[in-house]
Amino acid sequence: MKITGILILACGLVAGQATQGFFWNMAIVIKGSRNQIALLPYIAKTYSVSFDVLINNLGNSSYNSIIHFTIGADNSVYGDRTPAVWLYGGIGFLICSAINGNKDKCYTDPIQRQVGVWYHIEISQSLTGNKIIFEFNINQETVYTIENIQAEQFEKVQVWAGDEYHDPLDGIISNIEVKT
């Protein structure tokens, strides 16, 4: 695995509430690797995760892991996927997260993704009125939204580039940013 860059912890104040952000300016080659790249103290009920991903090879596995935020396992308890992203079946992105009491609520992107193209991924849970809305965006286009009536804060969240449970994507992820 090749990792370049630095993890920066930033704190701020938004609307009278303390916020934390975790920002990476790094490129991670994830082909053949299953590496924990960070341990976050928590992910709050509202958060934003974004990163860029380059697919070098569509792979021959059903699930090619790109990035996985977990409280400890693949899919045992609520919070083990909070969130997790794969290239699914060599076609589109698969996003799973802890939503509405389902430890593995997933959305499968049906668009055929291309080798050699950078994609910008954004995953968020935000307060809209009195509802927490989970949203998945690809290249600034919203592809999936759902209200999460059981949003939770998760503690000691591991961040994996290519998780230890599935074949990793042959690709690169960069510009990882987490705000919570």
Side-chain angles (χ1 to χ4, degrees):
M1 175 177 82
K2 177 183 176 187
I3 298 179
T4 59
I6 188 167
L7 168 65
I8 301 166
L9 172 62
C11 299
L13 195 65
V14 175
Q17 294 183 336
T19 62
Q20 270 190 307
F22 308 94
F23 308 94
W24 290 267
N25 181 11
M26 60 172 51
I28 303 170
V29 178
I30 55 177
K31 178 182 180 180
S33 68
R34 294 175 171 96
N35 292 285
Q36 185 176 338
I37 58 172
L39 177 61
L40 306 180
Y42 66 91
I43 286 187
K45 289 181 180 184
T46 59
Y47 65 86
S48 170
V49 170
S50 65
F51 59 92
D52 298 316
V53 60
L54 174 72
I55 301 168
N56 289 330
N57 185 319
L58 294 174
N60 53 12
S61 176
S62 293
Y63 300 91
N64 291 105
S65 177
I66 298 170
I67 196 164
H68 187 165
F69 292 73
T70 178
I71 59 171
D74 176 33
N75 188 21
S76 298
V77 298
Y78 201 66
D80 279 343
R81 294 182 173 176
T82 187
V85 181
W86 298 264
L87 182 67
Y88 179 69
I91 298 174
F93 296 109
L94 173 68
I95 173 84
C96 297
S97 197
I99 299 174
N100 297 328
N102 183 344
K103 64 185 170 138
D104 191 31
K105 179 69 175 169
C106 298
Y107 169 78
T108 304
D109 163 39
I111 306 294
Q112 176 68 56
R113 300 301 167 178
Q114 302 299 314
V115 170
V117 175
W118 281 98
Y119 296 97
H120 183 69
I121 305 294
E122 297 175 73
I123 304 148
S124 64
Q125 281 193 166
S126 58
L127 189 60
T128 304
N130 61 353
K131 297 178 180 180
I132 294 182
I133 305 298
F134 177 89
E135 186 171 306
F136 179 43
N137 296 310
I138 302 171
N139 294 337
Q140 282 79 42
E141 180 182 339
T142 301
V143 295
Y144 180 70
T145 61
I146 187 171
E147 180 182 1
N148 188 353
I149 60 173
Q150 279 189 260
E152 292 186 18
Q153 177 166 310
F154 297 105
E155 308 293 326
K156 298 179 183 172
V157 178
Q158 301 168 23
V159 183
W160 289 80
D163 69 26
E164 60 183 333
Y165 309 103
H166 303 91
D167 290 338
L169 177 75
D170 179 356
I172 299 170
I173 54 176
S174 67
N175 301 316
I176 303 165
E177 183 176 323
V178 179
K179 296 178 185 176
T180 190

